[in-house]
Amino acid sequence: MAAIVLDGKQIALEIEEELKVRIANLEDNGVTPCLAVVIVGDDPASHVYVSSKERACARLGIRSIRVDISADAEYGEVVSNVRRLNADPAVNGILVQSPLPNSMDEIAITDLIDPVKDVDGFHAQNLGRLVQGDVSGLLPCTPAGVMRMLESADVDLSGKRAVVIGRSRIVGMPQSILLAQKGVDATVTIAHSRSVEMATLCKEADVIIAAVGISNMVTSDWVKPGSIVIDVGVNRVNDDSEKGYHLTGDVHPDVRRIAGMVSPVPGGVGPMTIAMLMSNTVRATEMQQ
Ligand code: GUN
């Protein structure tokens, strides 16, 4: 039987409806949430992501500020912009789009952001709270979006074997902690480029979260029948189309014939990430009142 396809776009719309009520409450108190996005350089994919974040802000009535910095700017220019946004009481959320140029220290920049404005949830203080089991703060958007997606599908993760493929600071590591947290209770394996017998690890999993950035890496022979496969990958594959490329996930489309549930690319985790960013921006604004 074909897998159930988890509709991230639809769940994201439901989250936006909930957020509109909270934004209206803030407006009643004279407060308009404001998200500032800092983007350095001209990586085309990053510009596409930032534009979709701005469009989501516009749909919800969140004010957005975009700070464009050239790739060859001094590191100090990024630092001074983050400091300026930290000090601006009208700015509630700050996000520095990753990746930064190689010459810039991404973690140092993240840790300059005021933790109550850290809508990416990547500041050491916010990640530290997460490791301590406190999930009430600003959580990294993609992993939080995956959790919300699983919750919407009524998936019970307790005692289930989850394999997270990828150990990035943006997805893999925080995702693993969210899956293993008390109350969710999955048994988590973090697989990565040095893991051996990846196919065997995956084949034993009830849940696979693929966040590795390799097009179609997870094939149907890696997947246990009926399992849940969440695809965090967004890979640009060049083709002869007008755009010159199309998007693929980390999970091969044939997996749908074996798995019980899958998330599509596009229309799966991507819209959930943006919805969680909007949610963090509203939460940050509420916390600052
Ligand atoms: N680049 C890819 N995903 C993300 C994200 O969630 N946050 C930031 N800041 N940059 C990204």
Side-chain angles (χ1 to χ4, degrees):
M1 219 169 64
I4 294 168
V5 178
L6 299 169
D7 187 346
K9 245 182 174 165
Q10 179 57 37
I11 306 165
L13 281 177
E14 289 161 20
I15 295 169
E16 286 193 3
E17 288 310 309
E18 293 162 20
L19 291 177
K20 281 180 187 166
V21 177
R22 288 163 61 190
I23 293 166
N25 283 338
L26 287 162
E27 289 285 357
D28 286 346
N29 292 311
V31 177
T32 303
C34 174
L35 171 67
V37 178
V38 178
I39 179 160
V40 187
D42 36 36
D43 174 51
S46 290
H47 279 266
V48 170
Y49 293 144
V50 168
S51 298
S52 22
K53 289 166 187 176
E54 285 174 328
R55 281 198 302 276
C57 285
R59 277 198 302 278
L60 292 175
I62 293 174
R63 203 158 72 84
S64 67
I65 298 172
R66 177 176 182 147
V67 181
D68 261 294
I69 298 176
S70 115
D72 53 15
E74 296 284 332
Y75 179 66
E77 193 175 333
V78 184
V79 171
S80 61
N81 271 287
V82 169
R83 291 210 165 113
R84 177 177 59 78
L85 295 165
N86 276 342
D88 185 344
V91 172
N92 306 107
I94 304 170
L95 176 152
V96 178
Q97 185 66 26
S98 176
L100 287 176
N102 286 337
S103 61
M104 297 189 187
D105 183 340
E106 212 162 293
I107 293 182
I109 287 286
T110 302
D111 281 342
L112 276 181
I113 298 172
D114 182 342
V116 293
K117 296 189 178 185
D118 169 38
V119 286
D120 256 331
F122 298 155
H123 189 284
Q125 182 173 310
N126 288 321
L127 285 176
R129 295 235 187 283
L130 172 59
V131 173
Q132 288 168 338
D134 179 358
V135 288
S136 67
L138 299 169
L139 300 177
C141 301
T142 300
V146 169
M147 298 308 287
R148 181 74 182 251
M149 206 176 204
L150 295 170
E151 212 178 279
S152 295
D154 279 330
V155 173
D156 179 7
L157 291 163
S158 179
K160 299 280 165 41
R161 291 183 193 204
V163 171
V164 177
I165 313 176
R167 53 182 162 183
S168 70
R169 130 195 118 99
I170 294 182
V171 187
M173 298 308 272
Q175 187 73 72
S176 309
I177 295 164
L178 283 173
L179 287 163
Q181 73 182 291
K182 271 211 167 82
V184 175
D185 301 323
T187 303
V188 182
T189 300
I190 305 172
H192 46 74
S193 53
R194 296 294 173 97
S195 295
V196 291
E197 301 192 29
M198 185 87 86
T200 310
L201 287 175
C202 288
K203 190 100 192 179
E204 288 171 353
D206 303 302
V207 182
I208 297 171
I209 316 274
V212 73
I214 301 177
S215 177
N216 294 336
M217 178 172 131
V218 177
T219 46
S220 50
D221 54 325
W222 288 24
V223 171
K224 182 164 82 170
S227 60
I228 298 168
V229 184
I230 303 293
D231 193 346
V232 182
V234 186
N235 307 298
R236 281 185 177 217
V237 177
N238 294 335
D239 63 18
D240 295 332
S241 69
E242 206 175 306
K243 260 200 212 162
Y245 69 91
H246 63 279
L247 296 182
T248 67
D250 291 350
V251 177
H252 194 284
D254 282 355
V255 164
R256 289 187 189 198
R257 292 203 242 136
I258 310 289
M261 278 184 200
V262 297
S263 74
V265 175
V269 174
M272 294 301 296
T273 297
I274 292 179
M276 299 322 283
L277 174 65
M278 298 300 111
S279 174
N280 276 351
T281 304
V282 172
R283 175 114 175 81
T285 311
E286 289 166 345
M287 289 191 299
Q288 287 159 36
Q289 299 318 302

